[in-house]
Amino acid sequence: MGIMWRAHDLRLRRDVAVKEIQPPFRADGADLEEARRRALREARSAGRLSHPAVISVHDLLEENGRLWIVMELLEALTLEETVGHLGHLPIHWTAWIGFQLLSGLRHAHGAGVLHRDINPGNILLTGDRVVLSDFGIAALGGDPAMSTTVPIGCAPAYVAPERLRGGRADPATDLWSFGASLYFAVEGRPPYPGSDTLTVLGRAMSGEPDPPVKAGPLRRVLEGLLRRDPAERLSAGRAARMLSEILRLEGVTVAPPSLPGQRFPPGAFTR
């Protein structure tokens, strides 16, 4: 979907990440209009949010038919990469990651933004932050882009069952994907394993996820988030309370993160 560049903002004197949007190719060439819509959607969705658990977007540029999104630069591994290195994460790590990420997700939902593609590859882990990135298929409330179609790039193991059946995206579908990502973190595998996409799709459409075996007290949270009926799924508030209680029992004290003020680098307004 894009190429990431490390860059330096000369005006504000800070390093940034620049994402060059790659247009999809059709039979008659590159679809620049679709690339423009996707870039605008990503910039508008993430740009209206201000939370330490959500990637910060600074600007959207277009030059000579090429589209660029300027965002904060993070030195991070994805959750997918981290689990790939370690096999699976301990319960208290997973609960802490979930608690921080859920705070950002609740902020996004409160601002009318649905992510629609939460998966371990879009969750960034820095030294002290958990950050949700890649709002490329996000949708704003009331946006006609909120169709029932699941984009090709989505990993089926992390898409809510009702979405796979043609249902519309809503906060409950994001929560299912969030739960599936936590399942992957603590179990070391997706809730619907399979060697190919068709096998995963078949299991996701008709069956329940395999019961978690390494989750311990997280099992109730995972099973509540991965309920096939969205009306019975855990709410974000209830999931946050359960995660905070697990962390308390594990000896980890957490508080809801506060919204950061805008910080400019030293010397930003001097020559």
Side-chain angles (χ1 to χ4, degrees), residues 82-215:
T82 303
V83 172
H85 289 311
L86 301 177
H88 70 95
L89 302 187
I91 292 169
H92 65 285
W93 284 17
T94 304
W96 185 82
I97 289 170
F99 184 82
Q100 304 299 326
L101 185 65
L102 188 56
S103 179
L105 188 58
R106 294 174 74 186
H107 172 72
H109 289 170
V113 176
L114 300 176
H115 189 280
R116 302 200 301 170
D117 191 23
I118 299 172
N119 68 69
N122 288 337
I123 298 168
L124 304 179
L125 307 179
T126 73
D128 58 358
R129 288 174 63 192
V130 181
V131 182
L132 184 59
S133 69
D134 199 348
F135 283 73
I137 66 166
L140 306 177
D143 190 334
M146 292 177 64
S147 69
T148 58
T149 303
V150 178
I152 293 174
C154 288
Y158 301 98
V159 178
E162 64 271 22
R163 286 275 281 147
L164 294 175
R165 295 193 297 267
R168 294 179 66 84
D170 62 15
T173 60
D174 269 356
L175 286 171
W176 199 97
S177 301
F178 163 73
S181 298
L182 293 190
Y183 182 109
F184 171 80
V186 76
E187 295 293 310
R189 58 181 176 83
Y192 294 109
S195 58
D196 58 82
T197 300
L198 287 178
T199 300
V200 174
L201 275 172
R203 295 195 61 186
M205 291 283 286
S206 60
E208 298 289 341
D210 291 341
V213 297
K214 301 173 184 175

Side-chain angles (χ1 to χ4, degrees), residues 221-244:
V221 180
L222 298 180
E223 291 178 341
L225 290 168
L226 296 179
R227 288 173 182 162
R228 296 184 67 83
D229 184 350
E232 297 180 357
R233 204 165 291 157
L234 278 182
S235 68
R238 175 63 176 153
R241 289 191 294 272
M242 293 173 72
L243 289 170
S244 65

